[in-house]
């Protein structure tokens, strides 16, 4: 699994090698910023520097880097099965903007972090790369490392959106992807812990066009956005 992603690490750009994705959004960060802004709206404490955040399957660390660029000052940790991706995350992390980043290698689903270590865990565009029988172990690991009352955010491509299916089928890094809809995430999480859960749909409009952001927010209930976010709170 490490080797599969190691070969994409140095050039990883969130699938922007796909011409449709390039047409709709001008940079990989445009796409990531949709998720990052959504998270910043929910987690106001991210600006205060008091929260710890784990990005599980962090890849090149782009979600945490974009969060930091938007003013998040969490204690950031990232983990991944791919050592190549982790090296890229270290290389891309901007020095001197005040946010710290700790990186760790996963052993399959397992991470080296302590029980109850994190206030927040994010899992962005990871689960569709995890073999279906291994997904329960990922949910269990996330539940283990979250504090009581901690929040888990799962961001995924929405297979109910036909354009998403078209793009994923033509994107090299997604060659082995098995997409999952929000209900599958909800069922997996609810099997592993008694989380309080809710779902928002994201990215109806091209990312990067500022005046369309309000449209995206108004449509968050409609299960057709290109992405979805499942928010889950661990019981206190
Ligand atoms: C498409 S990349 C997404 C990276 C990052 N989260 C982002 O949003 O840019 C998927 C990442 O999941 C990682 N990953 C972590 N745990 C995994 C697992 N158990 N099975 C498959 N991929 C895993 C891969 O190594 C890869 O870096």
């Amino acid at each position: 699994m490490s080797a599969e992603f190691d070969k994409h690490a140095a050039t990883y750009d969130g699938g922007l090698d796909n011409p449709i994705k390039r047409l709709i959004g001008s940079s990989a960060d445009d796409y990531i910023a949709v998720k990052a802004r959504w998270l910043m709206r929910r987690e106001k404490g991210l600006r205060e520097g008091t929260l710890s955040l784990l990005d599980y399957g962090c890849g090149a660390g782009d979600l945490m880097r974009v969060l930091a660029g938007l003013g998040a000052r969490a204690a950031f940790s990232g983990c991944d099965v791919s050592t190549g991706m982790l090296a890229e995350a270290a290389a891309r992390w901007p020095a001197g903007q005040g946010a710290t980043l700790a990186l760790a290698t996963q052993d399959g689903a397992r991470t080296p972090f302590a029980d109850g270590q994190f206030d927040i865990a994010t899992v962005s565009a990871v689960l569709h790369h995890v073999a279906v029988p291994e997904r329960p172990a990922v949910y269990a690991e996330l539940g283990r490392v979250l504090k009581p009352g901690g929040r888990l955010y799962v961001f995924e491509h929405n297979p109910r959106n036909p354009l998403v299916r078209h793009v994923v089928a033509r994107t090299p890094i997604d060659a082995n992807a098995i997409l999952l809809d929000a209900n599958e995430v909800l069922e997996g999480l609810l099997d592993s812990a008694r989380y309080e859960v809710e779902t928002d749909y994201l990215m109806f409009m091209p990312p990067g066009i500022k005046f369309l952001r309000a449209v995206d927010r108004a449509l968050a209930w409609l299960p057709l956005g290109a992405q979805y976010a499942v928010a889950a709170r661990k019981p206190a």
Side-chain angles (χ1 to χ4, degrees), residues 1 5 12 56-59 80-82 85 106 108 124-126 129-130:
M1 180 53 67
F5 287 94
Y12 181 63
Y56 183 99
C58 66
D80 205 289
V81 290
S82 161
M85 283 289 197
Q106 291 173 219
S124 172
V126 175
H129 292 294
V130 179

Side-chain angles (χ1 to χ4, degrees), residues 132-157:
V132 174
E134 290 167 23
R135 290 177 187 169
V138 174
Y139 297 128
E141 179 64 2
L142 290 160
R144 182 185 74 77
V145 298
L146 272 179
K147 290 180 182 172
R151 282 85 62 202
L152 168 61
Y153 297 102
V154 178
F155 298 98
E156 269 297 330
H157 304 325

Side-chain angles (χ1 to χ4, degrees), residues 1-6 8-9 12-15 32 35 55-64 79-86 92 106-110 122-131 134-135 138 155 157 173-174 227:
M1 180 53 67
S2 179
E4 178 184 350
F5 287 94
D6 284 351
H8 295 285
Y12 181 63
D13 64 358
I32 291 168
K35 307 178 205 182
D55 190 25
Y56 183 99
C58 66
D62 297 315
L63 177 61
M64 294 180 288
C79 60
D80 205 289
V81 290
S82 161
T83 50
M85 283 289 197
L86 290 171
R92 292 185 191 187
Q106 291 173 219
D107 179 6
R110 187 84 184 172
T122 53
V123 196
S124 172
V126 175
L127 282 170
H128 63 267
H129 292 294
V130 179
E134 290 167 23
R135 290 177 187 169
V138 174
F155 298 98
H157 304 325
I173 198 169
D174 288 328
Q227 298 275 315

Side-chain angles (χ1 to χ4, degrees), residues 34 38 41-42 158 160 182 198-205 212-231:
V34 174
W38 180 89
R41 285 199 298 276
R42 291 190 71 102
N158 183 10
R160 295 192 194 195
E198 50 184 294
T199 305
D200 268 2
Y201 290 87
L202 317 176
M203 237 178 268
F204 295 84
M205 299 290 136
L212 291 176
R213 286 182 195 165
V215 181
D216 254 18
R217 285 198 216 177
L219 293 175
W221 58 273
L222 183 67
L224 286 174
Q227 298 275 315
Y228 62 83
V230 173

